Amino acid sequence: MTLINPLQFTAHEFADRMYAVCGRGRAQALALYQCFIREGQVRDTLPQFRNAPHLYEQMRQTIKVDIDPVTLIQSTERATKFLMKTHDGYLVESVIMSMQSRKSLCVSSQIGCRMACAFCHTGQMGFKRHLGPEEIVQQMFAARHVLKSSIQNVVFMGMGEPFDNFESVMQAVRVLADPLSFGIGLRRITISTSGDIQGIKTMTRDERPLPNLAVSLGAPTDAIRSKIMPRRRAEPLHDLYTAMYDYCRTKKRQILVSYVLLSDVNDSLECAEQLAIYLKGLDVRVNVIPYNASPESAFACPSQEAITAFVSRLRHHALPVFVRHERGSSIQAACGQLGG
Ligand code: SAH
Ligand code: SF4
């Protein structure tokens, strides 16, 4: 028997698949989908099925959702981390971050990560597997219906390199953005890549509306970058620049450039100067992320003076810069700390 997981599909894709199974009831399938996404469950009755109880039963039996229970929830004032177990026993980590009245959900796209960035706990755990679109969307479903959080923004900044799992991530984005589903506007969804040039080029060629793009640079020179982001060694910063330039120009969109600040590695004023020069000609905002420590880490967070000096030097070049103050580091929920 064909089973359909609504979290894998947009409303219309779901209705098409239900129609293929049941031979009728496209409009009813849409109502069923919306009820499930909005209420978190399939009700016993729906007005749209008043005259079609058999169809309702058939559709309910065709829906397959293994809503795994949330296994762990840890909260601080500004961050809530939650873990869900996959059918094959892995733990998916997600974080809800609160900023004033807004809430952002940080989702994972993989279990672990292939990129092995030296400063990142997820990178150090290695790669286990990709998440399917339904497993990505399920993080939103749990945030809404288990943690009862109303989410305004979604960022792909949890475990994994999103462009390494391109199709599943893009399908999850379409589901999250679907007005008949969670309805998170594309401008409120951000995909963060560690600089996958092919992925940026694919986004540039895509003619459909796109989510925001963030690029984690990590260093202003290839020499430093290849030390701390070893898998990016084959992709020189020069080529990354060209890909970002084409993206900004073709899409007329700004890129959020993230820069993890590591004491005595990439936090000198010379690095700030090189970074500012590198970014010339691009439409960017810079997000400086002071290093969040993980157990047994070889790196350290720069002093407040060093952070301020680095940021001032960038601002001196008229770059829009903000410093991302850690949220949830005490529960290992900040950037780069997932995968415990
Ligand atoms: N894999 C994607 C998205 C997840 S990481 C990427 O790398 O872009 C999200 C951000 O956290 C990245 O900008 C990364 O550079 C940063 N980061 C990773 N480990 C960190 C750490 N220990 N402290 C601070 N930022 C970190
Ligand atoms: Fe992967 Fe991003 Fe961590 Fe690098 S920083 S290992 S790309 S999750």
Side-chain angles (χ1 to χ4, degrees):
M1 182 178 164
T2 317
L3 294 176
I4 304 170
N5 185 339
L7 299 180
Q8 195 178 343
F9 300 110
T10 63
H12 284 282
E13 288 168 352
F14 174 80
D16 288 346
R17 278 171 175 76
M18 268 299 175
Y19 185 81
V21 172
C22 304
R24 62 189 173 126
R26 211 184 283 271
Q28 283 97 334
L30 282 179
L32 185 60
Y33 178 93
Q34 278 177 277
C35 163
F36 178 69
I37 297 286
R38 303 230 161 113
E39 298 179 17
Q41 57 186 6
V42 179
R43 267 198 256 150
D44 285 342
T45 56
L46 269 183
Q48 288 83 352
F49 289 88
R50 199 172 298 127
N51 299 320
H54 295 300
L55 179 65
Y56 198 37
E57 235 8 78
Q58 190 182 5
M59 286 195 180
R60 276 163 43 123
Q61 282 172 15
T62 306
I63 287 186
K64 169 188 179 281
V65 215
D66 351 275
I67 301 300
D68 306 303
V70 170
T71 31
L72 178 79
I73 304 173
Q74 284 179 301
S75 283
T76 65
E77 208 177 298
R78 298 199 298 181
T80 299
K81 176 165 94 166
F82 61 96
L83 270 60
M84 280 185 294
K85 209 178 223 158
T86 61
H87 60 86
D88 49 353
Y90 290 115
L91 287 173
V92 179
E93 302 193 26
S94 322
V95 183
I96 299 170
M97 297 168 294
S98 303
M99 285 153 276
Q100 284 113 32
S101 60
R102 303 206 145 273
K103 286 202 168 86
S104 288
L105 175 66
C106 174
V107 294
S108 293
S109 57
Q110 299 177 315
I111 305 290
C113 181
R114 261 197 254 271
M115 298 305 139
C117 301
F119 47 81
C120 172
H121 195 53
T122 310
Q124 297 309 299
M125 76 183 265
F127 174 71
K128 308 295 181 208
R129 72 166 174 84
H130 294 306
L131 294 180
E134 72 289 356
E135 292 174 309
I136 298 172
V137 174
Q138 194 168 318
Q139 299 170 59
M140 178 68 172
F141 190 88
R144 277 268 171 95
H145 299 300
V146 182
L147 289 101
K148 311 283 181 217
S149 269
S150 96
I151 303 287
Q152 284 84 31
N153 299 285
V154 175
V155 295
F156 282 78
M157 292 189 186
M159 290 196 285
E161 163 53 54
F163 284 167
D164 202 19
N165 186 17
F166 197 91
E167 286 311 319
S168 293
V169 165
M170 286 307 179
Q171 175 63 11
V173 167
R174 284 191 281 272
V175 177
L176 293 169
D178 180 0
L180 299 180
S181 181
F182 291 100
I184 306 284
L186 283 169
R187 300 275 174 158
R188 297 195 174 279
I189 301 178
T190 300
I191 296 187
S192 175
T193 173
S194 58
D196 183 313
I197 293 177
Q198 209 43 56
I200 298 172
K201 284 185 174 167
T202 309
M203 259 181 111
T204 306
R205 280 195 304 267
D206 201 325
E207 289 182 352
R208 291 169 294 184
L210 291 173
N212 303 312
L213 177 65
V215 175
S216 304
L217 213 51
T221 66
D222 286 315
I224 304 177
R225 196 161 190 262
S226 56
K227 272 194 205 134
I228 56 176
M229 300 173 77
R231 293 293 151 77
R232 290 283 164 240
R233 206 167 286 157
E235 300 192 317
L237 280 169
H238 174 79
D239 296 348
L240 178 58
Y241 182 92
T242 310
M244 291 197 288
Y245 182 83
D246 289 343
Y247 172 89
C248 293
R249 209 192 37 183
T250 312
K251 294 288 165 199
K252 305 201 171 22
R253 296 279 289 264
Q254 191 176 59
I255 294 177
L256 178 70
V257 166
S258 306
Y259 191 95
V260 51
L261 208 55
L262 307 163
S263 178
D264 290 331
V265 176
N266 64 2
D267 67 336
S268 66
L269 291 182
E270 191 192 1
C271 282
E273 198 67 31
Q274 287 167 328
L275 178 62
I277 291 168
Y278 176 77
L279 294 175
K280 281 222 154 60
L282 298 177
D283 182 9
V284 291
R285 270 181 315 142
V286 184
N287 186 9
V288 169
I289 317 176
Y291 174 65
N292 297 306
S294 290
E296 294 161 42
S297 154
F299 297 99
C301 181
S303 66
Q304 193 51 55
E305 294 75 59
I307 298 171
T308 308
F310 189 90
V311 168
S312 313
R313 184 56 68 97
L314 293 181
R315 289 194 178 132
H316 180 75
H317 286 269
L319 276 168
V321 185
F322 62 100
V323 181
R324 184 182 171 122
H325 293 291
E326 58 176 39
R327 279 195 194 85
S329 59
S330 62
I331 52 168
Q332 294 284 302
C335 282
Q337 292 184 319
L338 301 185

